[in-house]
Amino acid sequence: MHSPHPLRSGDTPPLPRISHFQSTLSIQKLRRFNSLILVLRLAAFCFTLAASVFMLTNSRGSDLPRWVDFDAFRFVFAANAIVAIYSFFQMGASVWEISKGTTFFPEILQVWFDFGHDQMFAYLLLSAESAGTELARTLKSTDTCTVSNAFCVQSYISVALGFAGFLFLGFSSLLSGFRVVCFIINGSRFHL
């Protein structure tokens, strides 16, 4: 086949145009996948927000224990609040992706951003909840929980909600990892 323009010395032949055809089924699969990520991020947001609210409101009086008096509980509150804010913004990015059909950032940046931050915040949350669990177990063996049982119960609830938030963020991280692998293999965030 003759090209309309002859090649000169040093020119490379033009690449053939490849038309990407996406079937309706593959678009639906992508939308379902993105919707699943949105649901996981929504669940992580709800649980971490509830955990931070439970810890924030865990103060009864001036003579009773308060959560700010314990470093581990401050860590639990801060980690849950940070993850709740992150999950809120990631929900917005997921809604953007579902409605517009494109990522908020360039695709390569979005894929690595999601995966890296999901991993980082999941580990932050896991370490905070582990520290909170150990402190709650220690307080149970002291007289703190006999003086203010409500304080200890509310601390347990906050830590448990934080662990649930970690689970949902962990599942979201697995799906983000799947998107990274698909991007590395196929050059797209989802194999269509």
Side-chain angles (χ1 to χ4, degrees), residues 3-4 66 73 106 117 119 123 126 129 139 155 168 178 189:
S3 75
R66 297 178 332 203
F73 288 158
H117 284 85
Q119 290 284 312
Y123 288 126
L126 182 61
E129 302 312 324
L139 289 178
S155 299
F168 286 109
F178 176 75
R189 65 190 179 278

Side-chain angles (χ1 to χ4, degrees), residues 49-67:
L49 180 65
S52 58
V53 167
F54 265 85
M55 190 57 75
L56 185 65
T57 59
N58 196 7
S59 297
R60 302 287 180 243
S62 61
D63 57 337
L64 296 174
R66 297 178 332 203
W67 67 274

Side-chain angles (χ1 to χ4, degrees), residues 91-145:
M91 284 187 324
S94 292
V95 168
W96 174 280
E97 188 171 345
I98 291 169
S99 64
K100 302 281 187 186
T102 184
T103 56
F104 187 73
F105 296 123
E107 188 174 11
I108 189 168
L109 181 63
Q110 186 74 48
V111 167
W112 285 104
F113 179 87
D114 292 348
F115 180 66
H117 284 85
D118 283 353
Q119 290 284 312
M120 179 180 67
F121 288 127
Y123 288 126
L124 172 73
L125 202 54
L126 182 61
S127 64
E129 302 312 324
S130 297
T133 300
E134 184 56 36
L135 178 60
R137 289 182 67 210
T138 303
L139 289 178
K140 187 175 183 177
S141 63
T142 64
D143 63 339
T144 303
C145 287

